[in-house]
Amino acid sequence: MDTSRFGALLDLLPDAVGIIDSTATLRAANSSAERLFGWSRDEWIGRNLLEMVHPDDVDWAISSLATVTGRELGTPIEMRVKSAEGWLLVELVGRAAEVDGEPVIFMSARDLTERRRWEIARDDTAMFRSVLHHAASLTILADADATISAVSAAMIRLTGFGPEATIGRSLVDLVIEADQPRMVRAIDKAKSEAQRRVTTEVLLAGRDRDAIPCQLSIVNLIDDPTVGGLVVSGHDISELWRARTELEHMAGHDPLTGLANRGRLSEELARRLDPNCREAGPVAVAFIDLDRFKPVNDLYGHETGDELLTMVAARLRDALRDDDVVARFGGDEFIAVMPDAGISTDDLAERIVSALSTPFRLSVGVVQISASVGVVAATPGDDPDTVLAEADNAMYAVKNDVKHTPSLRNIATRRRLADGVTHAFERDEFTVHYQPIIDLQTNRWVGFEALSRWNHPELGLLLPADFIDIVEDIGLGLRLGAATIETICQDLGRLRDRTGLEPSISVNASADEVTNPDYASTLTSALNGCDISPDRFTIEISERSILGRGGRTGRVVPANLAALAEQGVGIAVDDFGTGYSSLTHLVSFPIDRIKIDRSFVAGVVDDAQRRSVIAALVGLAQSTGMSVVAEGIADQDQLDMLLSVGCHLGQGFFMAKPMAYEGLEAALT
């Protein structure tokens, strides 16, 4: 488009005028535009005019341009436009036209900055100052450098500082010294391009009163030609702070006794044991359990029980120092965390016991209780949960009148084992050992029980009792069971390839496995995949983990056992005789073997009643087609006595210890 022929005409107009195309690119401008904005038209022709618009007004400008097309005359709009001297407030009016077949927009711009300032400075100035002065909310006007230029009367009434003490000072000076860095950050954020409005909570300094909590909102209007500074508004949030303080206290304290609760205790103990904390140091932790509290609670009711607990809490606070933390752990249990004061744990326990031994005068009368107190010492770096567990153990040792030996290492070891289980799977640290099941009459090996082992890199070879419950507690029982079956299948495959032998194998099935609906199909698929005959395989179900649950196993366990039995897999009841089973289980499940627990076998020589029970059990098993295996045979006398009552199968260290695969292969060949 040739705009040169418009130049002379445009230069005659008093208002700034420019011509833009549909993309807002400047195609022509007059000399008035140069004077208004302070730039040469040659510098801007060919550039997009939206570059001149204030970032906050760009969306408005775009939407306004869209409305100009199709209308005879656009609606006048006010926006901030960049000039050589700063931002100008201008009124823009656009009109769409067509020049040489090309759609364009004629834009007329008129400076409103001075007029707007004049309007404000006219008679409205007094009204504006009056409104500001009498506003109910706190209002402050400040220059671009945060120097205060005006404050509302509400601000004066709240702080007690008049205009002479505030105007001319920095916004930062309004707040207490501790909150001044926060105020500086809020002002800097408000003045940044990324965040132009900031809300912060600070404590305002008061002339004749304590600091006042306030919420302040800082709005950046530095680029606004009619304001050119910061506008701060706010309100007193003292009531909110009081409510928040009460809620925070409730969140960390027991509502009945006012002592710290379990959450607050954990935080405090963790802080005292954190090596990186400035206040960390040695502490004594006392676990306190009230003796004879339950009879008082049952006899007189819960209200009296609550009254007693409140009095106990008061005595504990009086017996300990101000910097000691006393918490109600739950029910009638309390915890005290005491920085090391150079006195022994026995002396601390005695102090607490003595404080609670004096009779309590309740509303229903006088009652006497006592307390069992276990105290342990801890140092920074110790695990807080481990320390609490050890204090709990110490308390129960006192309650049971047994000598307490600190066992932090044992508890820490169990935690370390739990943390290392996942890595153990990744490093193939779990393996299987095999213990022979022996015909006691002929001393022949008739099968093997597969037993899990953990080759721990630091603790050595661990037995199931050391880790099975940990694995199951963290939800990896099914994974361990699957890994065990996989190892057994690999070992049996190697044994068959090298020796031609395929011995009978039994393996323990956990509660997680037998109550898993997919267990039967998964096990049989694994056996079939390794070409192992199911009738050479037996699963052993622990009475303690499965049968003792009664009806809670639902339909899953019977369905799994029935499916396995149908495939030929043997079903054995492990640990029989520990008191968890019922003879009804022997007929309600497809069981074909009973394994008598080692604790029952241990008394077979000296206990005639146990011999009679085993003899009766053997007779019952034979009449129903089941076999009986005695576990844990430790000597020849036990073996002979078992034979005398008709038990012909057994296993134990007396005959053969569990062995790794290499020992199994060597023994069989």
Side-chain angles (χ1 to χ4, degrees):
M1 178 184 68
D2 181 13
T3 58
S4 60
R5 58 193 175 118
F6 296 105
L9 292 174
L10 293 177
D11 285 341
L12 295 175
L13 297 175
D15 289 337
V17 177
I19 302 175
I20 63 174
D21 61 18
S22 58
T23 64
T25 299
L26 183 64
R27 306 302 295 273
N30 65 357
S31 57
S32 296
E34 288 183 308
R35 288 192 299 271
L36 176 62
F37 297 110
W39 40 255
S40 168
R41 69 183 104 182
D42 294 334
E43 297 175 5
W44 273 92
I45 290 177
R47 294 175 64 179
N48 194 303
L49 277 193
L50 293 178
E51 297 177 30
M52 297 178 62
V53 178
H54 192 281
D56 289 350
D57 296 344
V58 169
D59 291 342
W60 190 13
I62 293 174
S63 62
S64 298
L65 286 174
T67 63
V68 171
T69 58
R71 297 179 59 182
E72 182 177 350
L73 186 67
T75 303
I77 61 172
E78 296 179 6
M79 66 177 57
R80 289 163 289 181
V81 178
K82 186 187 301 181
S83 73
E85 301 298 327
W87 295 104
L88 294 177
L89 182 66
V90 300
E91 180 183 69
L92 295 178
V93 181
R95 179 166 186 169
E98 191 171 291
V99 178
D100 296 336
E102 181 181 351
V104 296
I105 298 175
F106 285 83
M107 298 294 301
S108 172
R110 182 170 297 176
D111 184 10
L112 297 180
T113 306
E114 292 301 323
R115 187 175 76 184
R116 186 58 48 82
R117 286 175 179 163
W118 178 83
E119 290 173 350
I120 294 176
R122 203 178 50 183
D123 294 338
D124 293 343
T125 302
M127 181 181 296
F128 172 76
R129 294 289 181 183
S130 178
V131 170
L132 170 64
H133 186 70
H134 293 94
S137 63
L138 311 179
T139 308
I140 308 167
L141 300 182
D143 298 336
D145 62 355
T147 300
I148 299 171
S149 60
V151 295
S152 66
M155 181 74 180
I156 297 172
R157 290 192 298 270
L158 181 66
T159 64
F161 292 110
E164 71 284 353
T166 54
I167 294 176
R169 300 180 65 190
S170 171
L171 285 172
V172 179
D173 295 334
L174 295 179
V175 304
I176 64 172
E177 184 177 354
D179 280 357
Q180 287 183 357
R182 180 183 300 175
M183 191 67 174
V184 170
R185 290 193 297 270
I187 293 172
D188 290 343
K189 285 184 179 180
K191 292 169 66 174
S192 70
E193 289 295 329
Q195 189 169 355
R196 306 183 62 81
R197 177 189 294 268
V198 174
T199 299
T200 185
E201 291 184 7
V202 292
L203 290 171
L204 295 183
R207 181 189 292 273
D208 300 316
R209 58 178 294 187
D210 294 334
I212 310 115
C214 290
Q215 184 180 76
L216 300 181
S217 178
I218 306 173
V219 181
N220 179 357
L221 295 178
I222 295 174
D223 294 340
D224 190 315
T226 62
V227 178
L230 303 173
V231 177
V232 182
S233 59
H235 56 279
D236 183 357
I237 57 171
S238 298
E239 291 299 324
L240 175 62
W241 271 42
R242 276 192 287 270
R244 184 184 298 166
T245 301
E246 291 178 3
L247 288 174
E248 290 175 352
H249 183 272
M250 291 171 60
H253 292 78
D254 175 54
L256 175 64
T257 63
L259 298 178
N261 60 16
R262 180 178 288 193
R264 175 76 178 83
L265 167 74
S266 298
E267 293 175 0
E268 181 64 20
L269 183 57
R271 185 176 66 85
R272 299 283 180 98
L273 297 180
D274 182 0
N276 299 318
C277 180
R278 186 170 56 185
E279 299 178 5
V283 296
V285 179
F287 200 111
I288 307 156
D289 181 76
L290 302 184
D291 299 324
R292 298 198 298 275
F293 169 77
K294 188 176 184 301
V296 174
N297 197 60
D298 292 343
L299 180 62
Y300 296 109
H302 293 294
E303 290 186 4
T304 300
D306 290 347
E307 183 184 3
L308 176 56
L309 291 173
T310 302
M311 288 188 175
V312 167
R315 286 200 189 176
L316 289 175
R317 279 194 295 261
D318 292 341
L320 301 176
R321 301 161 301 182
D322 291 340
D323 57 345
D324 296 336
V325 176
V326 188
R328 185 183 178 197
F329 200 64
D332 60 347
E333 295 177 334
F334 299 82
I335 299 283
V337 177
M338 300 160 285
D340 186 9
I343 62 177
S344 69
T345 56
D346 289 341
D347 290 341
L348 287 173
E350 181 60 32
R351 179 193 299 177
I352 296 171
V353 170
S354 176
L356 301 180
S357 62
T358 304
F360 290 84
R361 291 187 174 277
L362 305 179
S363 57
V364 296
V366 177
V367 299
Q368 176 86 54
I369 64 170
S370 59
S372 297
V373 182
V375 184
V376 296
T379 57
D382 288 341
D383 178 69
D385 291 339
T386 301
V387 173
L388 288 176
E390 179 58 21
D392 189 16
N393 289 343
M395 181 275 294
Y396 274 106
V398 171
K399 186 180 287 289
N400 296 325
D401 197 24
V402 298
K403 182 175 178 57
H404 172 66
T405 302
S407 57
L408 276 173
R409 182 186 176 279
N410 291 337
I411 298 173
T413 298
R414 289 179 60 79
R415 188 176 298 278
R416 182 169 51 165
L417 289 177
D419 294 338
V421 168
T422 301
H423 294 301
F425 284 112
E426 297 170 353
R427 299 167 185 163
D428 292 327
E429 293 174 0
F430 290 111
T431 186
V432 176
H433 283 204
Y434 300 90
Q435 184 177 29
I437 299 173
I438 296 173
D439 185 324
L440 301 181
Q441 290 179 305
T442 64
N443 204 32
R444 289 179 57 251
W445 295 4
V446 297
F448 299 88
E449 180 181 1
L451 302 166
S452 295
R453 296 288 188 268
W454 183 353
N455 283 317
H456 196 280
E458 299 174 5
L459 304 176
L461 191 67
L462 301 181
L463 302 180
D466 298 322
F467 63 85
I468 286 293
D469 59 333
I470 297 175
V471 174
E472 293 181 348
D473 286 345
I474 62 178
L476 294 177
L478 292 177
R479 184 174 179 180
L480 178 59
T484 301
I485 295 298
E486 181 180 359
T487 300
I488 293 172
C489 289
Q490 292 173 352
D491 289 348
L492 290 181
R494 281 193 296 168
L495 187 65
R496 183 177 55 215
D497 294 341
R498 296 181 183 183
T499 68
L501 300 175
E502 188 175 345
S504 296
I505 297 291
S506 63
V507 63
N508 290 285
S510 69
D512 290 341
E513 290 177 289
V514 182
T515 56
N516 181 354
D518 299 325
Y519 176 66
S521 59
T522 301
L523 177 59
T524 54
S525 295
L527 296 176
N528 293 332
C530 297
D531 196 23
I532 296 175
S533 175
D535 61 9
R536 309 294 294 171
F537 208 84
T538 296
I539 65 166
E540 298 184 3
I541 309 171
S542 169
E543 287 187 305
R544 186 182 298 270
S545 62
I546 298 296
L547 300 183
R549 297 185 180 186
R552 291 199 295 275
T553 57
R555 300 181 179 180
V556 177
V557 172
N560 272 331
L561 299 186
L564 291 172
E566 186 176 349
Q567 295 293 321
V569 175
I571 311 295
V573 177
D574 199 12
D575 302 332
F576 198 91
T578 54
Y580 282 84
S581 67
S582 166
L583 292 178
T584 58
H585 294 134
L586 301 182
V587 295
S588 59
F589 295 105
I591 295 168
D592 46 32
R593 176 178 294 177
I594 297 172
K595 300 192 73 175
I596 301 174
D597 186 70
R598 65 183 64 247
S599 62
F600 211 74
V601 172
V604 70
V605 175
D606 301 320
D607 192 331
Q609 185 175 9
R610 292 197 179 195
R611 288 198 302 273
S612 299
V613 171
I614 293 177
L617 187 59
V618 169
L620 174 64
Q622 291 175 347
S623 66
T624 57
M626 291 184 286
S627 60
V628 177
V629 179
E631 296 182 291
I633 300 175
D635 54 43
Q636 185 66 46
D637 291 340
Q638 291 179 0
L639 191 152
D640 292 340
M641 191 61 67
L642 289 168
L643 282 172
S644 69
V645 296
C647 182
H648 297 158
L649 296 177
Q651 59 188 109
F653 281 14
F654 177 63
M655 293 89 72
K657 296 180 180 180
M659 62 193 78
Y661 169 79
E662 292 74 17
L664 172 65
E665 182 179 328
L668 289 177
T669 55

